[in-house]
Amino acid sequence: MKEMESRPRMRPNAGIGGFGVMYKGTLSDGIMVAVKQLIESDFQGNEEFCNEVKIISKLKHRNLVPLRGCCVIGEENGEYKDGERQRYLVHDYMPNGNLDDHLFWSEKQSMVRKQALTWPQRKSIILDVAKGLAYLYYGVKPSIYHRDIKATNILLDADMRARVADFGLAKQSREGKSHLTTRVAGTHGYLAPEYVFYEQLTEKSDVYSFGVVILEIMCGRKALDLSYNGSPRAFLITDWAWSFVKARKIEEDLDNSLLGDGNSANSNPKAIVERFVLVGILCAHVMVALRPTVLDAVKMLEGDIEVPIILDRPMPLGHPSFFRDGNTFSISPAVSGPKLNSRDMLR
């Protein structure tokens, strides 16, 4: 046992997480925890692995999922039983699950029906995620770039406040070792194109993914659907949302639950709701230079600075979300913006 005061009692079959199997556990003092058994790991030695966990476990922010420690078993005298080591990460348990479950519960037949997220909840979640990311970028040295921001990596605590998960294990990046990056490479639909094409990883790469999450929350649609309406054309939420913004019909972007009447708990000044959609579009812009920093995104969301006029979204050919098993999918016909050379994305 490493970095843990007490071994958790685990309940199996709790679920599958990114690069690991999730369990629900209880420490000897009765505290509930979430335990992830890692299937893959970049760390060869247990000492390196535990040192990295120790670094990440010291990060404290209300919008990050606390990492309590790790557990390494199966090692005896430097040898591994059955030729394998078993590594576990122990996190605080988040009773309301992940954001994806609440946004898309109707698509998960085995789940208990959930009430649609209210506008105040959606607004709070978006701001919580932004502030958690801002801490990773500016609150620690070296900065931590997440690389896999998505709805399933945003967990909700007992008060429905959002906490960013899977920001570690951290690992020194190869780009000059100027920041830390997580082991996970990313998820189609959320990936910034310049990161996929050129492996150029910056804060703006995470901002792109954050923009996609904003659009999922506001629109109630998944980032990527490879079987949209039964056709072989990929649905990209960035394309779809931009088509309505471009046509000045932002209200058609919104999740139906946000279109309440004046007496609805979801009712909100139209301009504020539209501003959140526009910030999502801007954050997920193809061109890096047009994306705001996460700090500026927070200021825009809170109305402290204006959202700039958004230029048309050129869509580069060969965007990774258009590929599946080597087959190329068509770009949405709703997008009529100009094409650009893929290197222009870096400008």
Side-chain angles (χ1 to χ4, degrees), residues 208 236 238-239 286 313-319 322 331 335 337-340:
Y208 181 95
L236 287 168
T238 49
D239 293 359
V286 173
R313 298 180 70 256
M315 183 57 63
L317 295 176
H319 188 284
F322 300 150
I331 296 174
V335 178
K339 302 295 188 294
L340 83 164

Side-chain angles (χ1 to χ4, degrees), residues 113-265:
R113 182 181 178 89
K114 293 181 179 291
Q115 188 174 12
L117 293 172
T118 65
W119 161 244
Q121 288 174 329
R122 293 175 197 244
K123 180 180 179 181
S124 174
I125 289 168
I126 290 171
L127 288 170
D128 285 346
V129 174
K131 292 172 182 178
L133 294 177
Y135 173 78
L136 292 177
Y137 305 151
Y138 307 115
V140 298
K141 298 284 184 186
S143 300
I144 296 176
Y145 298 159
H146 192 294
R147 287 183 11 180
D148 199 25
I149 299 166
K150 56 184 177 180
T152 52
N153 279 340
I154 297 169
L155 305 187
L156 302 172
D157 64 18
D159 298 319
M160 292 296 288
R161 300 302 300 267
R163 294 174 179 260
V164 178
D166 278 2
F167 53 89
L169 297 177
K171 186 178 180 181
Q172 291 283 353
S173 73
R174 286 177 285 180
E175 295 89 357
K177 295 188 177 181
S178 60
H179 57 268
L180 299 176
T181 65
T182 58
R183 176 176 54 81
V184 181
T187 303
H188 281 339
Y190 298 90
L191 289 168
E194 77 280 355
Y195 171 52
V196 175
F197 285 129
Y198 302 108
E199 297 185 358
Q200 290 207 0
L201 180 66
T202 69
E203 173 195 337
K204 295 290 188 75
S205 305
D206 277 351
V207 168
Y208 181 95
S209 304
F210 173 55
V212 174
V213 170
I214 293 176
L215 294 177
E216 285 190 310
I217 293 171
M218 299 303 296
C219 303
R221 303 290 298 270
K222 282 186 174 291
L224 174 66
D225 185 352
L226 296 174
S227 58
Y228 183 48
N229 286 341
S231 71
R233 175 173 288 133
F235 167 88
L236 287 168
I237 196 170
T238 49
D239 293 359
W240 181 79
W242 171 246
S243 68
F244 290 116
V245 170
K246 188 176 180 180
R248 300 180 183 275
K249 298 179 179 179
I250 297 182
E251 67 279 0
E252 296 190 35
D253 273 334
L254 300 176
D255 186 282
N256 289 335
S257 65
L258 294 177
L259 300 175
D261 57 33
N263 296 321
S264 170

